[in-house]
Amino acid sequence: MNTCLRARGGATAARRGRFPALWSLLLTGLVLALAPGAQAAPASAPPPASASSPASVPPPASVPSPAPPESAAKAPFGVRAGLYGLTTLTGGHFGYALKAGARIEDSAVVYNESDEARTFHVYAADVANAAGGGLAPAQEGQRMSGVGAWLKLDSAATVTVRPKSRATVRFSLAVPAGTPPGSYLGSLVTALRTPAVSGGVNTETRIARLVELTVPGTADLQVSLTELEHRPAGDGEEFTVTVRNTGNVLYTFAGTLRITGGGSPRTVPLTPTGIYVIPGGSATITGRVTGLPALGRRAVTASVTATVPGGAAKTVDSDTVRLSFFPWLVAALAAAGVLALALLLFVTRRRRRAWLRRRAEERAALRALRRELRREPRAGNPPAADPRETEAGGARHP
């Protein structure tokens, strides 16, 4: 397009020698009025199908960039697909449908929006499911086995871009012969490393564009779930289950917990949701159930629905966890109270029995003492005479 502008400029200069000055001024104004629209066209509209693509005819290493992509509008740099609009890409990513053994060429355009020259490092990487959900490209230097190994750069891994300019990085993607049908995911990573300041550490900013590869064939949507696990969490129970993609297609999924027992069933969402799981990958989701009873039983089952973008869907259920709730603390306190009361009664009863025994012994000893006192005369007092003898003696001795 810049070549077209230079040609117009040359034609305008030639006509200045043939036509009057007024006519030359009108033509110059017309060229200036049309120039912004001609420069902005490559960023908003794809080239025609018959035109030469950047994959087959490499553009200059660094050309002015009057219309950067939207992703780079507020960033120090940006990356977009070279064949934007001509592939099955979505969201600025690369998307291809290739048979096993096929090969395709494409390119990525790197925009430098800063006021100084920047050196970028570009490399291909496999993609795996991140621990917290979502997708993450492999680190540079790791062994690549999928798309990260099949995608090859046609130039050096580093590219220097002048201020407010862009550069095109060409690459090819070759699918090995015998690759089974299914979905394969990789990424093209562009990294900008910032030098350390005052003994600090280097920081690296990376932009990863997904490379979604589909090898045509029979789609096999397979979903498996691990055992549903649970543990106490605050005022409820936290449940965890892992979703595994054992098929050959990429899908997203959403999951819920279904709680039954003690009334009408209810559901609780599992998070995260809507994330991708690559074939052979897995993702762990969790959900928290609150409002559980103090006494009763509940049954909890995880249900996950996997959906292929624009395709089929499949729902699978996990094993069922059965929970029994009993107020153990209240029961333990009540049992402790009853035990304490029983112990108190036992100790009190023993003490009462001992007291009663002592009282009985004291009473028996007192009775025995009284009997002895009645049998023995008191010291210094003669025994009392028999009244009958007194009367007889009195009669005999007046």
Side-chain angles (χ1 to χ4, degrees), residues 104-196:
I104 194 173
E105 293 184 352
D106 204 340
S107 62
V109 182
V110 181
Y111 289 81
N112 178 14
E113 293 305 303
S114 67
D115 295 327
E116 58 183 7
R118 300 282 192 182
T119 298
F120 301 93
H121 187 62
V122 185
Y123 61 93
D126 288 338
V127 168
N129 286 105
L135 304 174
Q139 296 292 331
E140 185 182 10
Q142 293 182 354
R143 186 173 177 225
M144 308 299 174
S145 58
V147 176
W150 305 340
L151 193 150
K152 304 293 184 182
L153 298 177
D154 292 354
S155 58
T158 59
V159 56
T160 301
V161 187
R162 296 197 304 265
K164 306 297 182 182
S165 300
R166 64 182 177 181
T168 300
V169 178
R170 298 177 59 195
F171 64 86
S172 61
L173 177 62
V175 183
T179 301
S183 300
Y184 300 87
L185 211 61
S187 63
L188 185 68
V189 182
T190 304
L192 171 63
R193 176 168 294 183
T194 303

Side-chain angles (χ1 to χ4, degrees), residues 333-354:
L333 292 177
V338 172
L339 182 61
L341 180 60
L343 182 61
L344 179 62
L345 292 176
F346 176 75
V347 172
T348 303
R349 187 176 181 182
R350 289 190 60 184
R351 289 181 178 179
R352 180 173 177 79
R353 285 181 177 180

Side-chain angles (χ1 to χ4, degrees), residues 18-390:
R18 302 179 187 176
F19 298 96
L22 181 59
W23 183 246
S24 299
L25 289 175
L26 291 176
L27 286 178
T28 303
L30 181 61
V31 172
L32 292 176
L34 293 176
Q39 291 176 345
S44 58
S50 60
S52 298
S53 67
S56 58
V57 180
S62 181
V63 295
S65 177
E70 184 178 354
S71 61
K74 296 182 180 180
F77 71 101
V79 181
R80 71 165 174 84
L83 292 180
Y84 191 82
L86 296 182
T87 61
T88 56
L89 57 86
T90 58
H93 303 291
F94 300 90
Y96 307 103
L98 300 175
K99 295 181 179 180
R103 181 177 181 273
I104 194 173
E105 293 184 352
D106 204 340
S107 62
V109 182
V110 181
Y111 289 81
N112 178 14
E113 293 305 303
S114 67
D115 295 327
E116 58 183 7
R118 300 282 192 182
T119 298
F120 301 93
H121 187 62
V122 185
Y123 61 93
D126 288 338
V127 168
N129 286 105
L135 304 174
Q139 296 292 331
E140 185 182 10
Q142 293 182 354
R143 186 173 177 225
M144 308 299 174
S145 58
V147 176
W150 305 340
L151 193 150
K152 304 293 184 182
L153 298 177
D154 292 354
S155 58
T158 59
V159 56
T160 301
V161 187
R162 296 197 304 265
K164 306 297 182 182
S165 300
R166 64 182 177 181
T168 300
V169 178
R170 298 177 59 195
F171 64 86
S172 61
L173 177 62
V175 183
T179 301
S183 300
Y184 300 87
L185 211 61
S187 63
L188 185 68
V189 182
T190 304
L192 171 63
R193 176 168 294 183
T194 303
V197 179
S198 302
V201 296
N202 293 326
T203 60
E204 188 176 74
T205 304
R206 300 191 301 170
I207 293 180
R209 292 298 183 188
L210 291 178
V211 180
E212 302 176 13
L213 171 64
T214 300
V215 178
T218 302
D220 185 18
L221 175 58
Q222 295 293 335
V223 187
S224 66
L225 303 179
T226 61
E227 183 179 353
L228 184 62
E229 300 178 354
H230 67 98
R231 63 180 182 86
D235 58 346
E237 291 279 329
E238 184 177 82
F239 291 82
T240 303
V241 68
T242 299
V243 182
R244 292 176 177 171
N245 186 345
T246 56
N248 63 1
V249 290
L250 178 74
Y251 60 72
T252 62
F253 68 88
T256 57
L257 291 173
R258 186 172 63 254
I259 303 99
T260 57
S264 59
R266 61 191 180 101
T267 59
V268 173
L270 289 166
T271 57
T273 184
I275 61 176
Y276 282 95
V277 182
I278 63 177
S282 62
T284 300
I285 51 180
T286 60
R288 185 174 179 181
V289 179
T290 58
L292 296 172
L295 179 63
R297 296 173 62 89
R298 295 292 184 270
V300 182
T301 305
S303 180
V304 175
T305 300
T307 304
V308 178
K314 186 176 184 178
T315 301
V316 294
D317 293 335
S318 71
D319 59 309
T320 300
V321 174
R322 303 186 183 279
L323 304 175
S324 297
F325 300 96
F326 186 79
W328 293 108
L329 180 59
V330 176
L333 292 177
V338 172
L339 182 61
L341 180 60
L343 182 61
L344 179 62
L345 292 176
F346 176 75
V347 172
T348 303
R349 187 176 181 182
R350 289 190 60 184
R351 289 181 178 179
R352 180 173 177 79
R353 285 181 177 180
W355 179 79
L356 290 176
R357 283 197 302 268
R358 290 195 302 268
R359 186 65 180 267
E361 292 173 356
E362 291 174 357
R363 289 179 178 179
L366 183 59
R367 287 194 298 268
L369 179 61
R370 288 177 178 175
R371 286 195 297 268
E372 291 294 331
L373 290 176
R374 284 197 297 269
R375 286 197 299 266
E376 297 179 0
R378 295 182 181 180
N381 295 328
D386 192 349
R388 291 174 296 178
E389 293 179 357
T390 304

